[in-house]
Amino acid sequence: MVQSSVLGFPRIGAQRELKKITEAYWSKKASVEELLAKGKEIRAHNWKLQQAAGVDVIASNDFSFYDQVLDLSLLFNVIPDRYTKFDLAPIDVLFAMGRGLQRKATETEAAVDVTALEMVKWFDSNYHYVRPTFSHSTEFKLNSAAGLKPVVEYLEAKELGVETRPVVVGPISYLYLGKADKDSLDLDPISLLDKFLPVYKSLLAELYSAGAKTVQIDEPILVLDLPENVQKLYKGAFEQLTGEGLPEIVLTTYFGDVRPNLSAIKNLPVSGLHFDFARAPEQFDEVVAAVSDSQTLSVGVVDGRNIWKTDYTKASALVNKAIEKLGKDRVVVATSSSLLHTPVDLANESKLDPVIADWFQFATQKLDAVVAIAKDVSGEDVADLYAANAKSIKARQESSITTNPEVQKRMATINESLSTRSSPFPERLAAQKEKYNLPLFPTTTIGSFPQTKDIRINRNKFTKGTITKEEYEQFINQEIETVIRFQEEIGLDVLVHGEPERNDMVQYFGEQLQGYAFTTNGWVQSYGSRYVRPPIIVGDVSRPKAMSVKESVYAQSLTKLPVKGMLTGPVTCLRWSFPRDDVSQKVQSLQLGLALRDEVQDLEAAGITVIQVDEPAIREGLPLRSGQERSDYLNWAAQSFRVATSGVVNSTQIHSHFCYSDLDPNHIKALDADVVSIEFSKKDDANYIREFSDYPNHIGLGLFDIHSPRIPSKEEFVTRIEEILKVYPADKFWVNPDCGLKTRGWEETKASLTNMVDAAKEFRAKY
Ligand SMILES: [Zn+2]
């Protein structure tokens, strides 16, 4: 009997229970007991669900209140000193590291003011992990203050009658994905491996004592370009982690092709290897050949990153190929990665067109997929399931929803001149200076203002039909006016309308574009309690009518200062959607570029002549390995942006925005935007700033962290700007926050922005 295996299940709950309880806890509306109880309830539900579906290998420790990598930092005591001096409960230390903590002293609690640790993309997914931060004083030990999470959760499942396989990020990946703290910049985290392994091993021993026979160790960095010294660490490390009193190990890799690092994992003393064949089927022959005689192969065929129905026949064919080589006992049918990256349950989508819904599988449906394929290759009769599956696959292939001849005709018109501004930047800059006459250190924001409860209530009322379209629009206009007046009052130079009408920066446009489908409950965790509901690209994309002009024009009518039009760029629309898997991402991106080009031109024609086209997702789309695929990606990504933005006159100022640091200035250069803003507040690296000082156009380096509720003082802004000015020219300098302010409250937004503008004014006076 071939076993079925799921590498991890979404932890957010089918109705976002996790978000609701954590946010209630943060705002002191729920107790720590209620928080922990809800976590337990979600875990129990997920295990039972998988058990009922017939999944053989079910993961535990795939749950987290914030992030699974951050959990390890707490567990292994990788806690920078600044979080330990307040005597916080373990869960609060976790949240402080994840999102920062600022609170005033009360009778029972001391004042706390700490920033969050850096948060970065989890490979090329839209999930973010909190970066482990090491220093010379890092002292690895099992931190049992709140119990050993993997052990606690393993036992919890066991008590429910579910035998699970605990999952833990592997020791080499954990170190490699971390960074050195400010005070220890000469430290290479990977050099800590020898110190770390004994502690990691003691965790495995604890799991074994608790009864865990096998542990899933994720080493996702094996799909990256790994330096040779890191590749060489695997053998020794895993030799240390196996033996008497320790569980067997299944080493898992996902999100790509491991072949360049295959020598690192050949003949490791692990009992099984897992590979992602949904993403990288081309590695099949070589990686299967590398499985040693005593090892099992976990065949990742059910895509953990997308929502398309698995083609059962194709999947079975691949698994059978593995069985031919290894025999049924040594092959496991698995999801390609954790299902964390897919929505929880398609059954919650009552509004989706049933024709289209039949093409999808969400996490819950993927359980059935893994089980069906395992049964089929075991020789059980699942003919009905396979016939139904084949019918859906064929229906999608033949559907007229997926193709639009008009769009395809227009795609043929894309050429160099369509994707190039009519003049180089210096000429555009002159025209823009004349038009706007902005001061030095111009101030602006990235676009969104707080999405208050009031906004959500009114949007809900409108969706449910309890208020009319007119009433809703009137409400939105009032919100826009509030945001405009506020920005005028504190002295910002380039205003925004605040985006009260937008639920999400991609979904909002997706809902107005043809070729998209969207869900009502298809949430996926992005970070912490922030979830996104990615729309789904199902066919050729086009824009039937203007999407954002009305709100921008209204905002501009209220003020003499320039109001930025706000759009989401083609690559970000693509990356933050579930893309089609039947045409290339390049084609989808260029189609989006054309659709947005129409919007940019409509905005310009309506008098909105500062236009920001956000591309925060360009970085995350970067193929994980260098080489041809990466340079091709960068070419079509930049071209898509330029297709969208090159149809305007010189005096129209095109802005763009990028979330997350670790950007290569060259990638941004190719977009040729007049002004770019990038997240920057957590960067302390003068070399990095210097790289950007060579950037030919203008840049706003983000000055404060919008993921955290803490309020930087004016002095903090001044110090930060002074630091940057040591290596960065003043005449290219824009002053802005890291990112949009939608997740923040008004109080902290007002205070932070006021301090930011005051700091800018101080520099303006000086220069
Ligand atoms: Zn951003």
Side-chain angles (χ1 to χ4, degrees):
M1 181 74 189
V2 176
Q3 293 212 306
S4 56
S5 164
V6 171
L7 301 195
F9 197 77
R11 54 180 77 123
I12 61 176
Q15 300 298 333
R16 289 183 291 160
E17 289 86 345
L18 184 64
K19 177 188 178 71
K20 289 169 192 161
I21 192 71
T22 36
E23 291 183 350
Y25 175 69
W26 292 339
S27 59
K28 297 194 185 296
K29 289 184 189 114
S31 68
V32 69
E33 291 78 18
E34 287 169 305
L35 174 73
L36 299 178
K38 184 57 84 177
K40 200 170 172 179
E41 193 184 308
I42 293 171
R43 292 193 290 272
H45 175 86
N46 288 351
W47 289 322
K48 289 282 184 190
L49 187 75
Q50 294 175 77
Q51 191 181 47
V55 177
D56 298 307
V57 182
I58 298 170
S60 58
N61 198 43
D62 54 344
F63 177 84
S64 177
F65 279 111
Y66 204 89
D67 163 44
Q68 70 274 13
V69 181
L70 179 61
D71 287 339
L72 286 193
S73 297
L74 189 73
L75 178 71
F76 291 123
N77 197 44
V78 183
I79 309 171
D81 294 340
R82 60 186 182 275
Y83 301 102
T84 56
K85 56 187 179 203
F86 304 105
D87 205 23
L88 297 169
I91 187 83
D92 294 325
V93 173
L94 185 90
F95 289 142
M97 289 198 284
R99 61 194 294 267
L101 180 62
Q102 188 174 45
R103 73 176 186 210
K104 294 198 179 88
T106 64
E107 274 173 34
T108 52
E109 295 176 331
V112 178
D113 186 3
V114 279
T115 55
L117 290 176
E118 188 183 8
M119 188 170 68
V120 278
K121 285 276 163 191
W122 183 241
F123 298 84
D124 58 356
S125 76
N126 189 25
Y127 179 77
H128 309 73
Y129 73 99
V130 178
R131 211 160 175 199
T133 304
F134 306 96
S135 71
H136 291 296
S137 59
T138 297
E139 221 180 288
F140 297 106
K141 62 174 185 198
L142 283 185
N143 178 357
S144 57
L148 301 174
K149 183 179 175 290
V151 177
V152 170
E153 292 180 11
Y154 170 77
L155 290 172
E156 205 178 286
K158 200 171 185 179
E159 203 163 291
L160 294 166
V162 186
E163 180 61 33
T164 57
R165 183 172 77 186
V167 45
V168 190
V169 174
I172 302 175
S173 285
Y174 176 73
L175 295 176
Y176 192 77
L177 294 171
K179 66 165 188 178
D181 210 351
K182 265 189 264 190
D183 59 4
S184 305
L185 286 175
D186 59 328
L187 177 72
D188 178 2
I190 208 77
S191 70
L192 299 169
L193 186 64
D194 284 343
K195 276 208 237 166
F196 183 38
L197 280 173
V199 183
Y200 197 94
K201 183 175 173 178
S202 63
L203 172 71
L204 296 182
E206 294 281 351
L207 281 165
Y208 186 73
S209 304
K213 302 267 182 314
T214 313
V215 171
Q216 172 188 330
I217 294 191
D218 285 0
E219 280 290 349
I221 63 165
L222 284 162
V223 304
L224 303 177
D225 289 319
L226 283 187
E228 218 179 300
N229 68 316
V230 176
Q231 290 188 34
K232 282 187 173 151
L233 297 171
Y234 276 85
K235 197 161 184 346
F238 280 83
E239 272 167 4
Q240 274 199 60
L241 298 178
T242 38
E244 192 84 2
L246 293 167
E248 293 192 338
I249 292 170
V250 171
L251 180 76
T252 37
T253 68
Y254 38 79
F255 300 164
D257 182 350
V258 302
R259 280 178 296 176
N261 299 317
L262 202 54
S263 63
I265 55 171
K266 244 185 205 167
N267 300 317
L268 287 188
V270 298
S271 67
L273 295 170
H274 169 90
F275 302 101
D276 181 345
F277 297 119
R279 180 71 174 271
E282 65 278 8
Q283 63 180 333
F284 187 85
D285 290 336
E286 280 168 74
V287 299
V288 173
V291 176
S292 73
D293 291 345
S294 59
Q295 290 174 332
T296 57
L297 171 71
S298 169
V299 186
V301 280
V302 173
D303 196 346
R305 288 276 297 271
N306 212 329
I307 45 69
W308 300 106
K309 202 168 251 186
T310 311
D311 184 334
Y312 288 0
T313 308
K314 265 194 193 161
S316 277
L318 194 77
V319 178
N320 278 324
K321 230 169 102 184
I323 291 174
E324 262 169 47
K325 290 226 153 77
L326 306 171
K328 281 186 186 173
D329 296 342
R330 288 173 54 209
V331 170
V332 178
V333 175
T335 56
S336 67
S337 65
S338 167
L339 298 175
L340 177 67
H341 313 284
T342 55
V344 179
D345 194 354
L346 188 59
N348 296 328
E349 300 303 328
S350 52
K351 285 190 187 155
L352 209 53
D353 175 354
V355 171
I356 293 175
D358 183 53
W359 304 343
F360 302 155
Q361 277 173 336
F362 291 180
T364 305
Q365 289 67 41
K366 285 174 191 278
L367 303 177
D368 299 334
V370 185
V371 172
I373 297 161
K375 281 186 175 166
D376 176 62
V377 297
S378 299
E380 280 187 49
D381 181 10
V382 280
D384 288 356
L385 293 176
Y386 270 60
N389 179 267
K391 203 175 147 200
S392 309
I393 302 285
K394 188 155 177 261
R396 179 176 164 217
Q397 279 163 357
E398 292 173 354
S399 169
S400 61
I401 298 170
T402 59
T403 42
N404 180 339
E406 293 283 306
V407 174
Q408 296 184 357
K409 215 190 293 169
R410 201 171 166 205
M411 284 288 282
T413 67
I414 294 177
N415 58 20
E416 204 44 41
S417 89
L418 192 90
S419 45
T420 313
R421 292 281 296 263
S422 55
S423 308
F425 177 68
E427 283 172 44
R428 290 169 356 225
L429 180 67
Q432 290 159 22
K433 270 195 170 149
E434 198 183 306
K435 182 159 185 179
Y436 305 112
N437 194 26
L438 294 170
L440 262 183
F441 300 98
T443 53
T444 190
T445 61
I446 306 307
S448 61
F449 268 75
Q451 288 258 331
T452 58
K453 207 171 172 183
D454 210 23
I455 293 179
R456 286 196 300 272
I457 289 172
N458 275 280
R459 187 181 301 141
N460 269 335
K461 280 186 184 164
F462 175 55
T463 314
K464 287 188 183 129
T466 53
I467 57 170
T468 64
K469 189 163 183 263
E470 289 68 36
E471 285 170 320
Y472 180 63
E473 283 176 0
Q474 202 181 1
F475 168 78
I476 292 294
N477 283 350
Q478 272 163 14
E479 288 292 317
I480 291 174
E481 182 158 10
T482 307
V483 170
I484 293 288
R485 294 294 166 248
F486 164 69
Q487 295 172 91
E488 285 182 330
E489 202 180 294
I490 66 166
L492 280 155
D493 300 303
V494 175
L495 312 192
V496 296
H497 77 280
E499 304 175 19
E501 79 287 7
R502 300 188 190 175
N503 39 13
D504 174 271
M505 62 184 285
V506 171
Q507 192 190 340
Y508 183 75
F509 294 105
E511 286 175 3
Q512 302 188 68
L513 290 168
Q514 224 145 46
Y516 262 98
F518 45 93
T519 66
T520 44
N521 203 39
W523 298 98
V524 177
Q525 187 176 25
S526 173
Y527 65 87
S529 73
R530 168 117 175 94
Y531 307 164
V532 292
R533 195 163 32 147
I536 302 167
I537 306 178
V538 294
D540 291 334
V541 174
S542 60
R543 187 205 69 149
K545 60 178 175 44
M547 305 184 282
S548 68
V549 174
K550 194 173 66 189
E551 290 80 9
S552 292
V553 165
Y554 177 71
Q556 187 64 78
S557 75
L558 300 170
T559 179
K560 289 201 165 62
L561 293 166
V563 174
K564 264 196 288 194
M566 301 297 311
L567 300 174
T568 304
V571 180
T572 302
C573 282
L574 172 70
R575 296 291 315 177
W576 291 1
S577 305
F578 286 115
R580 295 166 73 171
D581 60 355
D582 57 343
V583 298
S584 73
Q585 302 218 349
K586 175 183 175 177
V587 164
Q588 295 174 70
S589 181
L590 288 169
Q591 288 182 355
L592 282 157
L594 286 171
L596 287 160
R597 182 184 180 91
D598 297 343
E599 186 72 9
V600 167
Q601 287 180 321
D602 280 356
L603 280 168
E604 186 186 49
I608 306 299
T609 52
V610 180
I611 301 169
Q612 179 172 312
V613 180
D614 286 355
E615 279 292 24
I618 277 203
R619 170 70 182 78
E620 78 185 57
L622 202 62
L624 295 168
R625 284 220 174 79
S626 55
Q628 190 61 36
E629 197 194 345
R630 190 178 281 184
S631 53
D632 287 349
Y633 165 80
L634 287 166
N635 281 333
W636 62 251
Q639 193 189 14
S640 307
F641 179 89
R642 296 195 316 267
V643 164
T645 55
S646 293
V648 296
V649 298
N650 284 347
S651 62
T652 293
Q653 188 171 66
I654 297 290
H655 287 230
S656 189
H657 168 68
F658 306 88
C659 301
Y660 316 107
S661 18
D662 290 335
L663 285 163
D664 181 337
N666 289 314
H667 302 166
I668 302 178
K669 235 181 251 178
L671 306 186
D672 198 27
D674 299 310
V675 182
V676 299
S677 57
I678 58 177
E679 174 170 327
F680 206 72
S681 71
K682 287 181 208 157
K683 274 278 169 196
D684 296 294
D685 182 351
N687 286 327
Y688 186 71
I689 301 173
R690 199 167 286 118
E691 281 179 41
F692 276 96
S693 65
D694 297 337
Y695 180 78
N697 307 358
H698 288 186
I699 300 198
L701 302 171
L703 293 172
F704 72 94
D705 179 11
I706 57 81
H707 297 114
S708 166
R710 74 179 289 282
I711 299 161
S713 66
K714 179 186 159 193
E715 290 65 39
E716 207 175 313
F717 281 112
V718 168
T719 312
R720 186 71 181 146
I721 295 173
E722 268 167 355
E723 268 170 33
I724 298 174
L725 282 177
K726 282 180 198 158
V727 281
Y728 188 83
D731 61 349
K732 291 185 186 175
F733 201 126
W734 280 67
V735 170
N736 49 257
D738 266 351
C739 197
L741 298 157
K742 64 185 281 187
T743 57
R744 296 274 57 87
W746 261 111
E747 201 182 323
E748 67 234 34
T749 295
K750 280 182 179 165
S752 300
L753 286 181
T754 306
N755 293 345
M756 183 188 87
V757 171
D758 288 350
K761 283 179 182 158
E762 194 172 309
F763 282 94
R764 209 169 282 163
K766 247 191 243 174
Y767 279 77

